[in-house]
Each structure stands twice: as structure tokens, then as C-alpha cells.
Amino acid sequence: GVPIPFRCALLRVLITALYFLGGGTMGGDGPTIQVCTSLSCMIGWVCGIRSPRTQSLLASLGFCCGFASSFNAPLSGILFAMEELQHVSSRLTTRVLCIILIGSVVSTSVMRGFLGNKVLFLASHPDDLETMVSGASVNRIYGQSMWMLIALPIGLTAALVGYCFSKAFHYIHKFVSKVALKHIPRWLLFGVVGALVACIGSAVFRAAN
């Protein structure tokens, strides 16, 4: 039942601006989602909508709108919000789905009104694709020696890594919030974590080049 402070949204905008001024290459999608979530929770709090469940719904609505407008993908925003709302209730009512649907569509429409209907990924294929694969051999469809089937182990490995990352994030968050913050000053802990992230990023950059 505690709202996300609005100063977090302002601080996020400031940090993102400084990051871009410093030559950062990451996109602004993450900050957009976080700012939208903070705004939706704060608006609900000011209007008297303060119960934990409704605050969770407003947070889900906020990042649904931010996700949909950032990636120009209203359906993805809806699915993302439905996935995150599972911790609030295992059953999603028609009203909740309508709220999420309207928010996602409206946010995407506003984004397209200001920036145009941008396309992040343009899929293309030859005009004679159907003729190329019609009655063809396995090698012709999947490549020489079926090299395209390498996508199967890559997909399984990526799923396993994603699962391990999710579990590691959960346990690290639990350790920091329940153990580390009780014995280490907040400023020192965040400084150490920031330095560690910077070292990891530097090491990965050097290894990749």
C-alpha cells in the first residue's frame, strides 16, 4: 500500500539524461516503463486509491502503457501486464483486462501521434519463398547439413540461462533486503554494487573487443 515516490521518476529521468550525455548506448525503454509506473501509482494515491491490490493494478497498468508505447506493441504490453498481475490474483476479471487493453491502446496511439508509426524490426522474405521450399529437400529448407537446427539447442540454452538469472535475481534481492541492509549502510552497499556492475561491464567490453 505504499506508492512509488514521484521523486524516483524525476531522478530516473535525470540519471537517464546524464547517461545519454555521457555516451551511453542503451535505449530509453526501461526508464520510460519506470516513469509510467511511478506516475500511475502516484495518480492513484492522490485520488485515494491506496489499497495494496489496486496499487499493484495501477503499477501493472503503468508499465503496460510504458511497455506498449516504448516498443510500439500494444499486444506485448497487454501480455506483459497479465503476466505480472499473476502475483496479485490468479484470476483476471473482464474489467481488469479491459482497463489494461484500453491503457495499452491509448498509450500506443499517443506515441504514434507524436512520433509516427515507427517499426523496430522489418521482416522481409523473397517473393518466390513458397516456390523455393515447395517439394524441396530437408537440406534446402534447413540449410546445408541442416545447420539452421542449431536454433534448437540455442533456444534451450537461452531458456535455462534465463531461468537461472531469474532465480539468482530473486535470491540476491531477498538477501540484500533482509540481510545486507541490516548490517551495511545503504549508501555503502549501493556504492559497492555500482562498482561491481561497472567492473563486470568493463570486463565484458574488453573481452568482446
Side-chain angles (χ1 to χ4, degrees):
V2 180
I4 301 175
F6 184 68
R7 63 177 180 272
C8 293
L10 297 177
L11 183 61
R12 189 64 171 131
V13 172
L14 177 61
I15 293 175
T16 304
L18 293 175
Y19 173 77
F20 287 139
L21 288 174
T25 57
M26 296 294 289
D29 309 311
T32 301
I33 295 173
Q34 294 171 352
V35 170
C36 289
T37 303
S38 177
L39 283 175
S40 62
C41 290
M42 184 55 60
I43 292 173
W45 189 267
V46 171
C47 294
I49 307 175
R50 302 182 177 182
S51 67
R53 283 184 176 270
T54 51
Q55 278 288 306
S56 296
L57 174 59
L58 288 172
S60 301
L61 179 63
F63 63 66
C64 165
C65 295
F67 192 96
S69 59
S70 296
F71 295 99
N72 191 20
L75 291 180
S76 298
I78 295 169
L79 295 176
F80 186 50
M82 291 174 61
E83 177 186 358
E84 293 298 322
L85 277 173
Q86 293 300 317
H87 74 281
V88 180
S89 175
S90 58
R91 298 180 62 186
L92 297 178
T93 63
T94 305
R95 291 183 179 180
V96 172
L97 293 177
C98 288
I99 292 172
I100 294 174
L101 175 62
I102 293 172
S104 179
V105 172
V106 169
S107 62
T108 306
S109 300
V110 171
M111 184 277 300
R112 292 180 180 179
F114 282 99
L115 302 178
N117 189 13
K118 61 178 181 179
V119 179
L120 295 179
F121 304 102
L122 183 61
S124 61
H125 56 80
D127 296 333
D128 57 343
L129 178 62
E130 184 176 353
T131 305
M132 292 171 58
V133 299
S134 177
S137 63
V138 175
N139 282 341
R140 188 170 182 180
I141 297 176
Y142 295 107
Q144 189 64 32
S145 301
M146 296 187 293
W147 68 270
M148 293 177 64
L149 294 181
I150 192 65
L152 295 178
I154 290 176
L156 293 175
T157 304
L160 179 61
V161 171
Y163 173 80
C164 293
F165 173 82
S166 179
K167 285 294 183 182
F169 181 84
H170 171 73
Y171 287 120
I172 290 174
H173 180 270
K174 188 176 181 180
F175 171 78
V176 170
S177 59
K178 294 186 177 181
V179 179
L181 286 177
K182 294 181 179 179
H183 301 88
I184 304 175
R186 186 182 296 269
W187 63 269
L188 178 60
L189 178 62
F190 287 170
V192 171
V193 171
L196 181 61
V197 171
C199 292
I200 294 175
S202 177
V204 172
F205 177 79
R206 292 178 180 275
N209 291 276

